[in-house]
Amino acid sequence: MTHTTAVLLGVVATVVLDLVVLRTRLLTRRSFWTAYAIVLFFQLVTNQWLTARGVFVYDPDAIIGWRIGTAPVEDFLFGFALVTWSMAWWVWWGRRGVQRSAPRGPRPAVVRLATRRRRWPAGTTSRSGTARR
Amino acid sequence: MQHLTYVAMLVFVIVATLPLESVLRVGVYARLRRLGLVVLCAGVPFVVWDAAATRAGHWRFDTSQTLGLVLPAGLPLEEVLFFVVVPLASVMTLEAVRSTRPSWPVGDEVEAPEHHRDLP
């Protein structure tokens, strides 16, 4: 089996895991695709770093040869599978009640300052004259 | 410096996602049990896949760009850590989206409408 075949099977397995086995249905959610788009951007950067320097050396016979930058296109399908598996299991364990919500600890002062609410109450018109979004 | 090429990428991913824990309060480091189960259920199968593909000769690693520790599976230490770091970053990103868009369901909400068990 080539790497190309393996990643295509990996993508199919991922879809089945999410929609049928775990029924997390992440692939139908805007939250998932937004998160995946962010991860994909960083995958482009980090995979370029690794493949351009030849940390991974691919057997030309194992891949189809299409590349995004210096990274074989297969890497992106592999990444899609890994990222989706990770998120799907996270959601699934949360559903099962394993640490569903994060414990509410005190917030660091610097974070309180950075995320401080505006002074005018919600629903009122701000100084710039725009109604609340 | 060359032997730090791979580990630098892992450090970058950890450092880049770390602020999410405090700024957006994603609470992934605060939920290590759940994270550990993700690594077990998602990371481990991919390590097995990776080791099999490496053994089949689909690719090899330039060990001059790694720290030099090769694990029994035939994978450099960094390659195994990759399957811890990437699930961690993935989950943190999903939680970051939830933090900024609380109205977008992720699927583990208490009142998730599609969450019902079918009878066996």
Side-chain angles (χ1 to χ4, degrees):
Chain A
M1 194 194 309
T2 64
H3 185 38
T4 314
T5 319
V7 290
L8 289 174
L9 287 173
V11 169
V12 171
T14 302
V15 173
V16 171
L17 180 86
D18 177 50
L19 299 182
V20 182
V21 180
L22 302 183
R23 299 207 203 164
T24 37
R25 295 177 54 231
L26 279 172
L27 296 172
T28 68
R29 298 179 197 280
R30 190 156 51 163
S31 54
F32 165 78
W33 289 106
T34 307
Y36 177 67
I38 297 166
V39 174
L40 181 61
F41 169 76
F42 284 100
Q43 194 196 343
L44 281 165
V45 176
T46 53
N47 218 13
Q48 181 65 28
W49 169 267
L50 294 171
T51 56
R53 280 164 182 74
V55 175
F56 310 134
V57 184
Y58 297 87
D59 173 6
D61 293 335
I63 58 176
I64 199 167
W66 304 345
R67 287 178 187 261
I68 299 171
T70 51
V73 69
E74 286 88 347
D75 278 9
F76 292 90
L77 299 178
F78 186 88
F80 170 79
L82 175 60
V83 168
T84 309
W85 270 63
S86 302
M87 293 183 186
W89 280 109
W90 174 262
V91 169
W92 190 81
W93 283 110
R95 255 185 196 179
R96 300 265 301 185
V98 178
Q99 298 184 316
R100 193 194 295 262
S101 45
R104 301 276 92 176
R107 315 174 72 188
V110 62
V111 174
R112 280 203 306 272
L113 212 66
T115 59
R116 191 170 48 179
R117 293 262 165 87
R118 294 172 186 214
R119 260 167 306 187
W120 48 81
T124 60
T125 308
S126 75
R127 244 174 298 168
S128 60
T130 52
R132 95 189 148 94
R133 283 153 289 184
Chain B
M1 287 302 279
Q2 203 196 3
H3 59 284
L4 299 179
T5 306
Y6 196 166
V7 80
M9 172 263 173
L10 299 175
V11 171
F12 166 74
V13 174
I14 289 172
V15 170
T17 51
L18 200 55
L20 298 173
E21 188 72 10
S22 55
V23 177
L24 291 181
R25 308 187 82 194
V26 295
V28 172
Y29 286 90
R31 288 181 273 183
L32 287 180
R33 194 150 37 94
R34 190 171 168 187
L35 178 65
L37 288 166
V38 168
V39 171
L40 203 67
C41 299
V44 169
F46 279 81
V47 169
V48 172
W49 175 359
D50 195 54
T54 306
R55 191 160 304 173
H58 292 172
W59 56 74
R60 60 178 182 79
F61 303 95
D62 176 6
T63 45
S64 76
Q65 301 193 64
T66 66
L67 295 172
L69 188 57
V70 178
L71 299 180
L75 304 175
L77 173 66
E78 289 94 329
E79 183 73 358
V80 175
L81 292 179
F82 178 93
F83 295 98
V84 176
V85 170
V86 172
L88 167 69
S90 304
V91 165
M92 290 189 80
T93 308
L94 184 66
E95 287 296 330
V97 170
R98 188 201 324 251
S99 289
T100 49
R101 292 288 183 275
S103 62
W104 294 0
V106 162
D108 60 358
E109 292 77 12
V110 178
E111 299 299 323
E114 68 279 17
H115 180 212
H116 50 79
R117 288 247 173 87
D118 288 346
L119 293 170

